[in-house]
Amino acid sequence: MSASLRVPTAPDRAVPLPAPHVSPGAATALLDAYRPGSDRFLASARHTLLGTGTSAEVPDDSRPLGVRVREVLETRRRAGDPAPIVMGALPFAPDAPPSLAVPRSVRRAPALCDDPLIAIPGPSAEPGTWQTREVPEPGAYAAAVSSAVRRMRAGEFDKVVLARTLELTSSRDLDLAAMLRRLAQHDPKGYTFAVPTGPDRTLIGASPELLVARRASRLTANPLAGSAPRSNDLAEDVRRAAALLESPKDLHEHAVVVDAVRESLAPFCVSLDVPAHPTLVRTAAMWHLSTTVTGTLADPGVSSLDLAASLHPTPAVCGTPTDVARAVIAESEPFDRGAYTGMVGWQDADGDGEWVVTIRCAEAEGRSLRLFAGAGVVAASSPEAETAETGAKFRTFLSAVGAAL
């Protein structure tokens, strides 16, 4: 599997809307207005949303999630809310409770990348004293990768995504609003988010990966799999990009994910366009192999969350076969993933919405941050390379908080 080199200026995204004619500062004003605890902030290449307060929460019960979300939205619409939306996050574990709610009010603006004020540098992260703890330690993580590789070479399964965490404790109160601003400026064309996931707990991050978006009868998905760290040296950076496009290991990993996305979405569609070869996309820290999948829905009643639920978890965050990969993750990772590798996004009462894979993120609670990073492990994986990849992925968030690994 090979592809020609294409180096866009930012990751591929959902089909963008034309930039509306608005005054500069509309999107950054929402970013500046964000307040942790009560607000929900989501930014994509299409628009920027800021939800304030809570008018209704999606319940945690045995009914399908899509049914619960539709019921809450319809109830709010009958109560007089002309355009209710659900915002929030869903965890990696299928039986864990969601963190989804209808905000009391929602302000909307164009995409951050269309707001020229996003380029104005904000205050740098103030130096503080950070205590850090890696869970597991790099050596233990490499050993888990080695074990998984041996089992795959023995034919037990095909792929697993193994993660590790970096626990940071600050000597001062966390300034989540400032962190969010720096994450957004780091990649204004990305998916930047901050949503509450519990009392005094916030999920905050900047994901490069769209799980799925629905707009009327059209859907877009953008699976990413196969990665390489960026380099500050231009020649080396280009060499790494070209090598990623020709890497049998990474191309295989990517193909597994794209095939799973095709298999999950095809039953919903009258047409589905899946490019034969991946392209390259870049973030500030990483190169990724990317495929943008588009389709036309057969049933307009299928919501964005219905589509997202059919995809989650993709092999890009779990592995394949899914059940075996989940078991290996449970055996190998000495922590609960929580919202990491779940999804974060929004949906309106008509079923339109965007759901993003929850990566490049942290959970903030009190003065502590728990960062997450994972790597796709296949039979050709190197424990040293996968450990280094997770370290590179931590850099997105570490730069926003003024800490180092």
Side-chain angles (χ1 to χ4, degrees):
M1 191 175 185
S2 63
S4 59
L5 178 62
R6 180 175 74 86
V7 184
T9 57
D12 291 347
R13 304 298 178 199
V15 178
L17 297 175
H21 297 288
V22 294
S23 301
T28 49
L30 298 190
L31 185 62
D32 293 339
Y34 165 76
R35 296 294 178 265
S38 61
D39 292 353
R40 296 169 176 85
F41 180 90
L42 297 169
S44 73
R46 286 180 56 188
H47 47 219
T48 306
L49 302 175
L50 178 66
T52 301
T54 300
S55 64
E57 293 186 347
V58 175
D60 178 28
D61 58 39
S62 60
R63 294 173 298 160
L65 180 62
V67 172
R68 286 177 272 156
V69 168
R70 275 189 284 267
E71 181 181 276
V72 168
L73 288 169
E74 285 301 322
T75 299
R76 291 306 308 155
R77 188 144 64 175
R78 288 194 299 270
D81 188 338
I85 68 169
V86 157
M87 300 176 69
L90 293 164
F92 173 69
D95 55 349
S99 299
L100 297 173
V102 179
R104 188 175 61 253
S105 64
V106 178
R107 295 164 61 187
R108 297 169 172 83
L112 283 171
C113 59
D114 293 326
D115 188 337
L117 298 190
I118 194 64
I120 298 175
S124 300
E126 293 186 15
T129 301
W130 291 95
Q131 294 181 340
T132 64
R133 187 168 76 103
E134 296 178 74
V135 181
E137 293 284 345
Y141 178 79
V145 172
S146 294
S147 175
V149 167
R150 285 194 300 271
R151 294 174 65 179
M152 281 183 281
R153 290 176 179 174
E156 288 189 43
F157 54 97
D158 298 320
K159 175 185 175 178
V160 66
V161 178
L162 295 181
R164 62 188 184 109
T165 69
L166 183 62
E167 297 178 357
L168 305 179
T169 303
S170 176
S171 59
R172 62 181 68 189
D173 292 340
L174 303 180
D175 189 345
L176 296 183
M179 289 181 196
L180 183 67
R181 173 91 188 201
R182 286 190 288 269
L183 285 168
Q185 289 184 311
H186 205 56
D187 182 14
K189 291 190 176 181
Y191 299 96
T192 306
F193 54 87
V195 297
T197 53
D200 194 34
R201 189 168 68 245
T202 299
L203 175 69
I204 181 171
S207 174
E209 184 169 2
L210 173 70
L211 181 64
V212 69
R214 195 207 91 162
R215 187 171 175 225
S217 63
R218 295 290 293 169
L219 70 83
T220 305
N222 182 206
L224 306 181
S227 306
R230 300 287 306 276
S231 172
N232 292 327
D233 178 80
L234 178 59
E236 173 61 16
D237 197 41
V238 172
R239 188 200 69 77
R240 292 182 184 183
L244 180 61
L245 268 178
E246 299 297 331
S247 164
K249 176 260 181 187
D250 290 287
L251 289 169
H252 170 69
E253 180 184 343
H254 188 79
V256 168
V257 175
V258 172
D259 287 345
V261 169
R262 177 193 290 108
E263 183 177 343
S264 295
L265 293 180
F268 296 101
C269 297
V270 292
S271 65
L272 190 67
D273 179 28
V274 183
H277 304 292
T279 58
L280 274 177
V281 299
R282 67 189 181 194
T283 64
M286 302 294 296
W287 287 105
H288 297 284
L289 293 177
S290 165
T291 295
T292 299
V293 177
T294 56
T296 301
L297 291 172
D299 178 2
V302 174
S303 71
S304 64
L305 192 52
D306 293 331
L307 297 169
S310 76
L311 289 167
H312 178 69
T314 72
V317 298
C318 182
T320 183
T322 302
D323 291 345
V324 179
R326 279 192 181 276
V328 175
I329 288 169
E331 296 166 8
S332 305
E333 296 179 357
F335 55 87
D336 181 356
R337 287 192 177 189
Y340 171 66
T341 62
M343 50 182 152
V344 59
W346 66 275
Q347 179 178 299
D348 65 20
D350 295 325
D352 286 348
E354 294 174 295
W355 297 95
V356 177
V357 181
T358 312
I359 53 177
R360 309 296 192 278
C361 65
E363 281 196 325
E365 188 169 9
R367 291 186 170 185
S368 297
L369 284 169
R370 185 167 69 152
L371 284 61
F372 301 85
V377 181
V378 295
S381 289
S382 156
E384 295 76 17
E386 306 303 353
T387 304
E389 180 177 321
T390 57
K393 289 175 177 176
F394 281 135
R395 280 166 37 199
T396 296
F397 214 99
L398 289 171
S399 64
V401 302
L405 181 57

